[in-house]
């Protein structure tokens, strides 16, 4: 069963999922701390390039099935125009200022 985005526990993660699903690149980038990093399937990637390719130019969308770690770990069905839909795991590090300093994703 999908968790409504508005019910996600962590405010930064909730804003991240909202920005992805609303295709709001500007809002998404504003959620990231300076120097934020990310990894996909265990490999660090260029964040701006990955976000453009995997989320914004390919209509990325997240349906969250489960959250843990006070809302900073998600299991979601993620889909985009490139890969279709897959079950993914997302983990987030949130800085003291409430912005995301790192996120990691991969197949769940």
């Amino acid at each position: 069963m999908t968790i409504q985005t508005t019910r996600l526990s962590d405010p930064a993660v909730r804003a991240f999922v909202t920005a992805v699903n609303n295709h709001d690149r500007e809002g998404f980038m504003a959620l990231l701390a300076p120097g934020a990093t990310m990894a996909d399937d265990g490999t660090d990637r260029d964040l701006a390039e990955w976000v453009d390719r995997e989320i914004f130019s390919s209509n990325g969308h997240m349906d969250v099935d489960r959250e843990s770690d006070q809302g900073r770990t998600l299991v979601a069905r993620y889909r985009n125009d490139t890969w279709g839909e897959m079950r993914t795991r997302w983990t987030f590090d949130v800085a003291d200022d409430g912005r995301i300093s790192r996120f990691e994703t991969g197949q769940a």
Side-chain angles (χ1 to χ4, degrees):
M1 185 167 141
T2 302
I3 300 171
Q4 287 182 329
T5 303
T6 56
R7 296 186 179 273
L8 294 172
S9 301
D10 186 275
V13 173
R14 183 170 56 243
F16 179 101
V17 174
T18 299
V20 168
N21 290 349
N22 290 339
H23 311 290
D24 178 7
R25 186 184 195 286
E26 189 175 311
F28 178 94
M29 296 309 283
L31 298 169
L32 302 178
T37 61
M38 64 85 52
D40 183 4
D41 282 328
T43 302
D44 276 24
R45 308 285 185 184
D46 178 284
L47 188 144
E49 179 185 295
W50 188 92
V51 163
D52 281 339
R53 184 181 67 248
E54 299 292 338
I55 298 175
F56 295 107
S57 69
S58 60
N59 297 306
H61 189 89
M62 298 173 76
D63 289 315
V64 178
D65 291 329
R66 206 168 63 233
E67 67 172 1
S68 56
D69 188 29
Q70 286 92 35
R72 294 195 177 169
T73 299
L74 306 178
V75 173
R77 283 169 287 124
Y78 185 78
R79 66 181 178 275
N80 66 23
D81 293 345
T82 305
W83 305 108
E85 183 172 290
M86 64 189 84
R87 190 170 162 80
T88 55
R89 178 181 176 90
W90 298 74
T91 58
F92 299 88
D93 295 333
V94 179
D96 290 340
D97 68 359
R99 291 190 289 176
I100 294 168
S101 57
R102 180 172 176 83
F103 68 91
E104 297 185 18
T105 186
Q107 292 202 39

